[in-house]
Amino acid sequence: SGALLEVVPACGNPESILRRLNRSLHAVVEPGLFVTAMAVMLDTRTHQIEIACAGHPPGLLKRADGSVVALEIDSGIALGPDDNPEFGVLKHTLAAREVLMVTTDGVDEARNLAGEELGTARVIQVLAESAGATDAARRLQWTINQHAGEARQHDDLTVVTLERCK
C-alpha cells in the first residue's frame, strides 16, 4: 500500500500504475511469489473507465437491461516475477444504470466446509439480482458468508462495485 501512495499520483493511467508497481516489486519479490492487482480509473465527466489487469479475474458488467457479461479483458500476468509483463487493458464508457463489479479470485474460490467453491456463476447471479452497486456488494458478502459458513477463509475477499446512476 505504501508503494501505491507513491505511484498513483505520478501515473496517468491504470497500465502505468501496474508497470511502476511491477518495477518496485520485481526488485524485491522472492522467487515463486507474486502479487495480483487491478487498477481502475474513472473519468467522472465522460463516465469512461479504464482498467488494467495483472492476474485478477476480469470483472463483470451488469448492463442497464439487467444482463451480466464478463469484461472482455485478458487477466494479464501477475506482478513481481517478470520484469516486463503484459497486462490486460480495457476501456469502456459506462451507460446509465450499468454496474461494474471487480473482485479478487478469493471471491469465486470461497469454499464451504465440504470444499465446494462459490463459483463464478453464483457471483454472476448475485450481480444480476442486485438493485445497484451497493446492493450487489452487500448481497455478495451475504452470499459468501452463507456459502462458507464456518469454513476457514483461505484467500483475500475483495469486492469493488461502481455504478453510473444517470
Side-chain angles (χ1 to χ4, degrees), residues 1-14:
S1 63
L4 282 172
L5 292 173
E6 180 182 324
V7 167
V8 171
C11 294
N13 61 54

Side-chain angles (χ1 to χ4, degrees), residues 11-161:
C11 294
N13 61 54
E15 185 176 9
S16 65
I17 291 170
L18 295 184
R19 292 217 175 279
R20 295 212 33 203
L21 281 175
N22 189 68
R23 280 195 295 273
S24 297
L25 290 169
H26 182 69
V28 298
V29 170
E30 296 176 29
L33 297 181
F34 58 89
V35 175
T36 61
M38 179 179 277
V40 179
M41 284 187 163
L42 168 68
D43 183 326
T44 57
R45 193 176 32 80
T46 65
H47 308 288
Q48 185 176 60
I49 55 172
E50 185 173 350
I51 301 170
C53 192
H56 265 294
L60 301 170
L61 184 70
K62 180 178 181 181
R63 300 204 184 274
D65 67 5
S67 63
V68 176
V69 296
L71 295 177
E72 293 184 17
I73 183 173
D74 187 326
S75 291
I77 304 294
L79 304 176
D82 191 334
D83 66 340
N84 191 25
E86 291 295 320
F87 303 122
V89 178
L90 172 76
K91 290 182 182 182
H92 174 78
T93 301
L94 286 173
R97 298 187 337 265
E98 282 190 332
V99 177
L100 171 69
M101 176 185 278
V102 294
T103 67
T104 55
D105 59 351
V107 170
D108 55 325
E109 294 173 359
R111 293 188 182 116
N112 61 18
L113 286 172
E116 301 163 326
E117 292 185 351
L118 180 67
T120 304
R122 290 277 301 278
V123 177
I124 291 171
Q125 178 184 3
V126 167
L127 181 56
E129 294 172 354
S130 70
T134 302
D135 186 48
R138 287 184 182 142
R139 284 175 181 254
L140 187 54
Q141 180 182 15
W142 184 87
T143 300
I144 292 167
N145 290 341
Q146 292 300 305
H147 174 76
E150 298 298 317
R152 183 176 170 274
Q153 182 178 328
H154 72 280
D155 202 351
D156 67 300
L157 301 169
T158 303
V159 177
V160 176
T161 57

